[in-house]
């Protein structure tokens, strides 16, 4: 059996296997820490920082930091909630997000976090970057306006030889998500669906299946993000 450690989140004591990432240890103990780029069992990317917590007084990404014995984690403070809200606002102004016309509306983690943190008018100016769309592959439509560069697709969607079907190109302002046309031509139906599903926004769309879930039945129509966990800040 793996060694257990004791740690606290907002003063409450919990246990978890030594080395487990804070975000997963928190979820296993019923505590919600928001994530966008993180997925359990994927190599952490630590790119979005929405999971920022204080660990022994220092700001850390909960998805890249393992729990340790005696660790004190703060998750629900006004300062951290405002940092998360600011990150959501930043992601909204960096891309071009028009929720009412988005196929992922109601199933989008970024939109759900916008509601959760009661985002109204972002504190940052909109960038209105011009981003090209890509509809050249048989099953996938890449809506780059909505990409938040979480890298989930790059890390998870691979062909039979473990080659990534998605990849980033460029850097800084020219950074964009791309799809390998040759590999994408052989994508299975399941892979295409999975790619759309794991994208936390509406940047990866399975062609011909937009808006199939009626309003009222979508993932976040009835419950807010993270509400499946008992301690939800
Ligand atoms: Fe931790 Fe993105 S969820 S950095």
């Amino acid at each position: 059996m793996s060694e257990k450690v004791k740690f606290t989140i907002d003063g409450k004591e919990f246990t978890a296997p030594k080395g487990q990432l804070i975000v997963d240890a928190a979820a296993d103990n019923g505590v919600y820490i928001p994530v966008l780029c993180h997925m359990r069992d994927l190599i952490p990317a630590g790119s979005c920082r929405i999971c920022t917590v204080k660990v022994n007084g220092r700001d850390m990404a909960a998805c890249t930091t393992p729990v340790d014995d005696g660790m004190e984690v703060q998750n629900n403070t006004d300062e951290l909630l405002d940092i998360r809200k600011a990150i959501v606002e930043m992601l909204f102004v960096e891309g071009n997000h028009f929720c009412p016309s988005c196929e992922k509306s109601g199933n989008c983690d970024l939109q759900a976090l916008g509601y959760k943190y009661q985002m109204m008018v972002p504190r940052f100016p909109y960038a209105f970057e011009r981003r090209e769309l890509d509809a050249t592959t048989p099953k996938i439509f890449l809506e780059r306006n909505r990409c938040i560069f979480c890298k989930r697709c790059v890390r998870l969607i691979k062909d039979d030889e473990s080659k990534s079907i998605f990849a980033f190109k460029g850097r800084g302002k020219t950074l964009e998500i791309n799809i390998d046309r040759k590999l994408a031509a052989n994508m299975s139906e399941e892979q295409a669906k999975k790619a759309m599903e794991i994208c936390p926004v509406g940047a990866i769309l399975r062609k011909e299946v937009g808006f199939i879930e009626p309003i009222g039945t979508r993932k976040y129509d009835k419950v807010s993000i993270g509400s499946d966990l008992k301690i939800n800040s």
Side-chain angles (χ1 to χ4, degrees):
M1 218 170 79
S2 62
E3 191 188 334
K4 297 271 186 193
V5 292
K6 283 188 180 156
F7 65 105
T8 63
I9 301 180
D10 296 329
K12 280 202 177 74
E13 192 170 275
F14 299 106
T15 55
K18 187 176 169 67
Q20 189 179 28
L21 296 170
I22 293 174
V23 74
D24 296 333
D28 288 349
N29 282 286
V31 180
Y32 175 66
I33 298 174
V35 297
L36 282 168
C37 67
H38 177 72
M39 285 185 80
R40 205 183 271 250
D41 300 331
L42 262 192
I43 295 170
S47 57
C48 75
R49 311 317 265 195
I50 194 77
C51 66
T52 300
V53 289
K54 280 213 189 292
V55 176
N56 300 335
R58 288 181 57 202
D59 288 351
M60 306 286 278
C63 73
T64 57
T65 311
V67 282
D68 208 351
D69 220 17
M71 184 180 259
E72 290 178 12
V73 179
Q74 282 178 294
N75 177 43
N76 182 15
T77 66
D78 288 348
E79 185 194 345
L80 286 167
L81 297 183
D82 191 55
I83 288 175
R84 292 172 188 164
K85 185 176 182 181
I87 290 170
V88 171
E89 291 174 8
M90 214 178 309
L91 291 170
F92 265 94
V93 302
E94 260 178 14
N96 299 305
H97 300 271
F98 302 101
C99 294
S101 60
C102 177
E103 295 83 345
K104 204 73 182 277
S105 188
N107 289 314
C108 170
D109 292 349
L110 181 64
Q111 181 191 43
L113 288 172
Y115 281 122
K116 182 175 181 61
Y117 296 121
Q118 301 180 348
M119 186 186 92
M120 302 300 279
V121 179
R123 68 196 80 177
F124 310 105
Y126 282 94
F128 293 124
E129 292 293 348
R130 188 181 162 83
R131 297 193 188 170
E132 300 296 332
L133 313 182
D134 186 340
T136 56
T137 59
K139 295 194 173 74
I140 296 291
F141 175 47
L142 264 193
E143 218 310 4
R144 293 195 181 98
N145 286 297
R146 304 168 184 160
C147 181
I148 58 166
F149 308 103
C150 69
K151 240 181 165 184
R152 279 186 180 183
C153 56
V154 179
R155 289 177 287 158
L156 194 65
I157 310 295
K158 305 199 175 183
D159 76 350
D160 296 344
E161 289 170 16
S162 290
K163 284 193 201 139
S164 292
I165 297 176
F166 295 87
F168 283 139
K169 189 176 135 206
R171 50 171 48 191
K173 281 180 91 155
T174 64
L175 184 69
E176 63 176 28
I177 188 69
N178 267 287
I179 184 162
D180 185 305
R181 290 193 192 146
K182 270 203 203 130
L183 300 183
N186 297 320
M187 257 178 126
S188 66
E189 187 55 39
E190 288 70 41
Q191 273 179 322
K193 269 205 222 142
K194 181 100 186 148
M196 177 166 173
E197 206 179 280
I198 56 112
C199 177
V201 289
I204 299 177
L205 302 170
R206 170 70 181 95
K207 282 182 175 173
E208 300 169 16
V209 295
F211 304 110
I212 45 168
E213 278 182 80
I215 293 174
T217 65
R218 302 166 308 177
K219 191 169 167 192
Y220 298 122
D221 282 337
K222 293 198 181 123
V223 291
S224 63
I225 192 165
S227 57
D228 51 326
L229 297 175
K230 284 194 305 273
I231 305 176
N232 182 353
S233 46

